[in-house]
Amino acid sequence: MTTVYRADTVGSLLRPDYLVRARAQFESGEMAPAHYKETEDRAVDQVIAMQEGAGMDVVTDGELRRHTFIDQLLEAVVGLTPDPEGSQSDHIPVPFYDESGSEQSVFTIPISVTDKVRRARMMTVEEYAYARARAHRPIKVTLPSPLMLFLAWSPGRSRDAYADPFELFADGLTLMREEAQELARMGCPYIQVDAPDFGQLIDPAQQTVWAAAGIPFERVMAEGADMLNEVASVPGVTFGLHICKGNYDSHWISAGGYESIASELFPRLKNYDRILLEYENERSGSFEPLKQLPDDKVVVLGLVSSKFDELESPEDLIARIDEAARFYPRDQLALSTQCGFASAGPGNAISEDAEEKKLRLIAEVANRVWG
């Protein structure tokens, strides 16, 4: 088994206010590229030092050079075209709910796949090369699931390029595997694939919506799961898979346990070393689906919320780890937040002070439980 990182991080961190302002100035042409890159570097230095000071076993650059966690698929490729102004969207809608379960927003992107998707540039090389020169702890780099291209799939506009959406996902797989291969060549020790697509499909209503767009649940759990596994076929790297249930502005997409996907998905994840799962509240369901995982994984329990300031109790976290250990061996468990702090845009409704306290809490509890 590969190195067991007990105090893990999912990836994204809050963007400092000065970086948010600098990006706006850069995008409006008010800030020169060189000055903006210096500002990005300063922010990355800051978050790496914060994570190391908190005692994390793994650090990231906070995804601060991205606007969203899926930039590699939406900003670094050709083959995508803005939808005609005023046209009705036929993209799969992504609903977001607040803690009471009330729908707050429905997300779609006004961009469609209209040609074969091809790489325009690598996204993660700068991220890793810079972070490697700054960090004293192992670095994790995150990649999106190739099926996240569902966001740009338009049944009305995309079929001239792809008769079948799974052909589009296969091209996404090629792009993500190439990113992973280059990261491996550069010596990156840990790559995480983020899969809110599979987390979204925990919701039966979302399964119906996807099927209506030509992406049936059964094919996602078979062909799609095999593509997801293939991203992690690059040797010499620890691969993690984060199954996300939605994380934007402290809102979520899907509720329920992993039972509906575990029996089909989990046995197919042969190339992954670590499985990161959201378990921060009762909405996440029980730990029983962990029994469906192969016995050679590390399960990273996302018990700490990245959505709100309230700090969890160490004793409560240890009790939940004890509960999870009834279904999967304790020495193959680890701890993290349930998701990143800023998967997109401004981030969650949480302060930078609370963010750091939560990372310190993770490191403290991991040390108490596993030494």
Side-chain angles (χ1 to χ4, degrees):
M1 184 177 292
T2 56
T3 303
V4 180
Y5 306 117
R6 300 294 187 184
D8 206 341
T9 178
V10 172
S12 64
L13 296 164
L14 295 171
R15 296 164 180 85
D17 287 342
Y18 66 81
L19 179 60
V20 175
R21 292 193 300 271
R23 184 176 184 120
Q25 292 172 330
F26 170 66
E27 291 179 343
S28 68
E30 299 173 54
M31 180 178 287
H35 188 190
Y36 178 62
K37 282 301 175 185
E38 289 173 357
T39 308
E40 270 189 344
D41 292 348
R42 170 190 167 196
V44 171
D45 290 350
Q46 177 182 324
V47 298
I48 288 175
M50 183 272 288
Q51 293 168 89
E52 293 184 339
M56 300 299 290
D57 293 335
V58 176
V59 301
T60 74
D61 75 342
E63 300 176 6
L64 300 187
R65 301 187 193 276
R66 312 181 195 179
H67 185 61
T68 73
F69 78 98
I70 54 172
D71 277 7
Q72 299 100 321
L73 282 174
L74 299 181
E75 290 192 1
V77 302
V78 295
L80 307 181
T81 305
D83 292 335
E85 190 170 344
S87 65
Q88 185 173 358
S89 173
D90 63 353
H91 296 291
I92 294 174
V94 183
F96 282 92
Y97 303 90
D98 65 17
E99 287 304 290
S100 71
S102 298
E103 185 177 291
Q104 295 299 303
S105 61
V106 178
F107 175 76
T108 57
I109 62 169
I111 298 171
S112 294
V113 172
T114 55
D115 200 350
K116 296 296 185 182
V117 173
R118 304 181 306 281
R119 178 180 307 287
R121 59 190 171 92
M122 303 293 284
M123 280 290 296
T124 55
V125 170
E126 178 186 7
E127 292 178 348
Y128 178 66
Y130 186 87
R132 180 181 63 185
R134 296 300 190 275
H136 299 91
R137 303 267 174 115
I139 298 164
K140 172 196 284 188
V141 175
T142 59
L143 300 173
S145 159
L147 274 73
M148 286 304 296
L149 281 167
F150 86 86
L151 289 169
W153 169 253
S154 163
R157 299 186 181 94
S158 301
R159 291 194 188 275
D160 286 344
Y162 294 98
D164 182 342
F166 285 84
E167 296 174 1
L168 167 64
F169 302 152
D171 281 351
L173 164 61
T174 297
L175 295 172
M176 292 302 95
R177 191 167 50 195
E178 288 172 355
E179 290 273 352
Q181 288 169 337
E182 181 62 13
L183 288 169
R185 187 195 67 78
M186 296 174 68
C188 181
Y190 185 2
I191 297 172
Q192 174 183 297
V193 178
D194 293 319
D197 37 18
F198 285 83
Q200 186 172 340
L201 290 172
I202 287 171
D203 182 348
Q206 286 296 301
Q207 296 175 23
T208 300
V209 171
W210 282 52
I215 311 174
F217 177 72
E218 294 77 14
R219 288 188 69 188
V220 174
M221 290 299 135
E223 296 168 56
D226 287 343
M227 291 182 194
L228 190 66
N229 184 58
E230 186 64 21
V231 177
S233 63
V234 179
V237 179
T238 292
F239 275 93
L241 175 65
H242 175 229
I243 301 177
C244 174
K245 297 181 183 179
N247 186 53
Y248 175 71
D249 197 22
S250 294
H251 297 150
W252 51 272
I253 297 172
S254 58
Y258 295 97
E259 289 85 354
S260 62
I261 64 173
S263 61
E264 293 297 324
L265 176 62
F266 286 179
R268 293 177 182 269
L269 302 178
K270 295 179 174 59
N271 292 331
Y272 287 93
D273 307 287
R274 299 169 69 83
I275 310 297
L276 297 90
L277 300 173
E278 296 198 358
Y279 271 118
E280 85 276 25
N281 55 31
E282 65 280 354
R283 191 174 64 243
S284 303
S286 77
F287 293 116
E288 189 163 1
L290 300 183
K291 294 191 295 186
Q292 301 280 352
L293 280 165
D295 60 8
D296 62 345
K297 310 302 178 189
V298 171
V299 176
V300 185
L301 301 171
L303 301 177
V304 177
S305 173
S306 66
K307 288 180 165 64
F308 303 104
D309 282 353
E310 183 179 359
L311 196 64
E312 290 79 359
S313 155
E315 288 69 30
D316 288 346
L317 294 178
I318 292 170
R320 297 210 66 202
I321 293 169
D322 289 342
E323 183 183 353
R326 294 170 46 210
F327 302 98
Y328 210 76
R330 180 187 301 272
D331 65 355
Q332 290 171 236
L333 299 176
L335 181 63
S336 72
T337 54
Q338 113 283 344
C339 198
F341 291 91
S343 301
N348 289 335
I350 185 171
S351 68
E352 290 183 48
D353 179 62
E355 173 184 71
E356 182 172 356
K357 286 179 178 177
K358 295 212 174 208
L359 296 181
R360 290 185 181 277
L361 174 65
I362 289 167
E364 172 197 335
V365 170
N367 187 60
R368 285 176 59 178
V369 172
W370 295 286

Coordinates of all heavy atoms in Angstrom, one line a residue, residues 41 44-45 48-49 52 128-137 139:
D41 N 1.3 34.2 -7.1 CA 2.4 33.5 -6.4 C 2.3 33.8 -4.9 O 2.5 32.9 -4.1 CB 3.7 33.9 -7.0 CG 4.0 33.4 -8.4 OD1 3.2 32.6 -8.9 OD2 4.9 33.9 -9.1
V44 N -0.4 31.8 -3.3 CA -0.1 30.4 -3.2 C 0.9 30.2 -2.1 O 0.8 29.2 -1.3 CB 0.4 29.8 -4.6 CG1 1.0 28.4 -4.4 CG2 -0.7 29.8 -5.6
D45 N 1.9 31.0 -2.0 CA 2.9 30.9 -0.9 C 2.1 31.0 0.4 O 2.5 30.2 1.4 CB 3.9 32.1 -1.0 CG 4.8 32.0 -2.1 OD1 4.9 31.0 -2.8 OD2 5.5 33.0 -2.4
I48 N 0.1 27.6 1.1 CA 1.0 26.5 1.4 C 1.5 26.6 2.8 O 1.5 25.6 3.6 CB 2.1 26.4 0.4 CG1 1.5 25.9 -1.0 CG2 3.2 25.4 0.8 CD1 2.6 25.9 -2.1
A49 N 2.0 27.8 3.2 CA 2.5 28.0 4.5 C 1.4 27.7 5.6 O 1.7 27.1 6.7 CB 3.1 29.4 4.7
E52 N 0.8 23.9 5.9 CA 1.9 23.3 6.6 C 1.9 23.6 8.1 O 2.2 22.8 9.0 CB 3.3 23.6 6.0 CG 3.4 23.0 4.6 CD 4.7 23.3 3.9 OE1 5.4 24.2 4.3 OE2 5.0 22.5 2.9
Y128 N 1.8 22.7 -10.3 CA 2.6 21.7 -9.6 C 4.1 22.2 -9.5 O 4.7 22.1 -8.5 CB 2.6 20.3 -10.2 CG 3.5 19.4 -9.5 CD1 3.3 19.0 -8.2 CD2 4.7 19.0 -10.2 CE1 4.2 18.2 -7.5 CE2 5.6 18.1 -9.5 CZ 5.3 17.8 -8.2 OH 6.2 17.0 -7.5
A129 N 4.6 22.7 -10.7 CA 6.0 23.2 -10.7 C 6.2 24.3 -9.6 O 7.3 24.2 -8.9 CB 6.4 23.7 -12.1
Y130 N 5.3 25.2 -9.5 CA 5.5 26.3 -8.6 C 5.4 25.7 -7.1 O 6.2 26.0 -6.3 CB 4.5 27.4 -8.8 CG 4.8 28.6 -7.9 CD1 5.7 29.6 -8.3 CD2 4.2 28.7 -6.6 CE1 5.9 30.7 -7.4 CE2 4.4 29.8 -5.8 CZ 5.3 30.8 -6.2 OH 5.6 31.8 -5.4
A131 N 4.3 25.0 -6.9 CA 4.1 24.5 -5.5 C 5.2 23.6 -5.1 O 5.6 23.6 -3.9 CB 2.7 23.7 -5.5
R132 N 5.8 22.8 -6.0 CA 6.9 21.8 -5.6 C 8.1 22.6 -5.1 O 8.8 22.2 -4.2 CB 7.3 21.0 -6.9 CG 8.4 20.1 -6.6 CD 8.8 19.3 -7.9 NE 9.2 20.2 -9.0 CZ 9.5 19.9 -10.2 NH1 9.3 18.6 -10.6 NH2 9.9 20.8 -11.1
A133 N 8.3 23.8 -5.7 CA 9.5 24.6 -5.2 C 9.2 25.3 -3.9 O 10.2 25.8 -3.3 CB 9.8 25.6 -6.3
R134 N 8.0 25.3 -3.4 CA 7.7 26.1 -2.2 C 7.3 25.2 -1.0 O 7.5 25.5 0.1 CB 6.5 27.0 -2.5 CG 6.7 28.1 -3.5 CD 7.8 29.0 -3.0 NE 7.9 30.2 -3.9 CZ 8.6 30.3 -5.0 NH1 9.2 29.2 -5.5 NH2 8.7 31.4 -5.7
A135 N 6.8 24.0 -1.3 CA 6.2 23.2 -0.2 C 7.3 22.3 0.4 O 8.3 21.8 -0.2 CB 5.1 22.3 -0.8
H136 N 7.1 22.0 1.7 CA 7.9 21.0 2.4 C 7.2 19.7 2.7 O 7.7 18.8 3.4 CB 8.4 21.6 3.7 CG 9.2 22.9 3.5 ND1 8.7 24.1 3.5 CD2 10.5 23.1 3.3 CE1 9.6 25.1 3.3 NE2 10.8 24.4 3.2
R137 N 5.9 19.6 2.3 CA 5.1 18.4 2.5 C 4.7 17.9 1.1 O 4.8 18.7 0.1 CB 3.9 18.8 3.3 CG 4.1 19.4 4.7 CD 4.2 18.4 5.8 NE 4.6 19.0 7.0 CZ 3.8 19.0 8.1 NH1 2.6 18.5 8.1 NH2 4.3 19.5 9.3
I139 N 2.7 17.2 -2.2 CA 1.7 18.0 -2.9 C 0.7 17.2 -3.6 O 1.0 16.2 -4.2 CB 2.5 18.9 -3.9 CG1 3.5 19.8 -3.2 CG2 1.5 19.8 -4.7 CD1 4.5 20.5 -4.1

